[in-house]
């Protein structure tokens, strides 16, 4: 049986995807199959992940992920200016990737 969604995204037109999972270790670990399924359905797509820095290692060796970007969860050891600088650098890096699709795995 085949299902068709009228508003489904045509993955043939997508080059690059950013999957965002800003949660705890267990939640990030449970998101790993999403990357595999997406890569299986669209092998031509480059898939990046955006996670908290302390969960990076959970996805850094995933074969379907091209790059893992991180956000610092707590910046106790960094000044406000340092935080802004880090976030600006991350924003520039993400914008430079020119994503065609954003997949947010958050609950909110």
């Amino acid at each position: 049986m085949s299902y068709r969604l009228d508003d489904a995204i045509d993955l043939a037109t997508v080059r690059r995807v950013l999957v965002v999972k800003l949660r705890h270790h267990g939640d990030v670990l449970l998101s790993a199959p999403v990357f595999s399924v997406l890569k299986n359905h669209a092998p031509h797509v480059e898939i990046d992940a955006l996670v908290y820095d302390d969960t990076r290692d959970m996805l850094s060796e995933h074969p379907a992920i091209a790059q893992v970007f991180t956000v610092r969860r707590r910046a106790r050891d960094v000044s406000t200016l340092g935080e802004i600088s880090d976030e600006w650098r991350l924003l520039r890096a993400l914008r430079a990737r020119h994503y065609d699709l954003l997949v947010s795995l958050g609950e909110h």
Side-chain angles (χ1 to χ4, degrees):
M1 181 179 291
S2 177
Y3 294 98
R4 177 167 157 60
L5 299 174
D6 292 334
D7 63 346
I9 295 166
D10 180 7
L11 291 176
T13 64
V14 175
R15 288 181 315 111
R16 202 166 281 135
V17 177
L18 178 64
V19 179
V20 179
K21 186 62 175 178
L22 297 173
R23 298 295 295 163
H24 302 287
H25 289 82
D27 297 314
V28 172
L29 183 62
L30 290 173
S31 74
V34 172
F35 298 94
S36 299
V37 169
L38 186 54
K39 192 65 168 180
N40 288 341
H41 280 65
H44 65 282
V45 171
E46 281 187 55
I47 306 168
D48 293 347
L50 176 63
V51 296
Y52 284 127
D53 59 350
D54 61 345
T55 61
R56 173 190 191 95
D57 291 343
M58 302 185 85
L59 298 177
S60 63
E61 298 296 322
H62 194 294
I65 298 175
Q67 291 188 48
V68 178
F69 292 95
T70 63
V71 174
R72 185 176 294 129
R73 187 185 301 264
R74 290 179 202 91
R76 294 180 186 149
D77 59 334
V78 178
S79 68
T80 301
L81 186 57
E83 276 187 82
I84 292 169
S85 177
D86 289 348
E87 289 180 9
W88 182 248
R89 232 183 331 273
L90 174 62
L91 177 62
R92 283 195 328 240
L94 293 174
R95 291 180 90 187
R97 296 286 287 158
H98 301 284
Y99 294 106
D100 301 304
L101 178 63
L102 170 71
V103 178
S104 174
L105 300 178
E107 295 86 34
H108 298 57

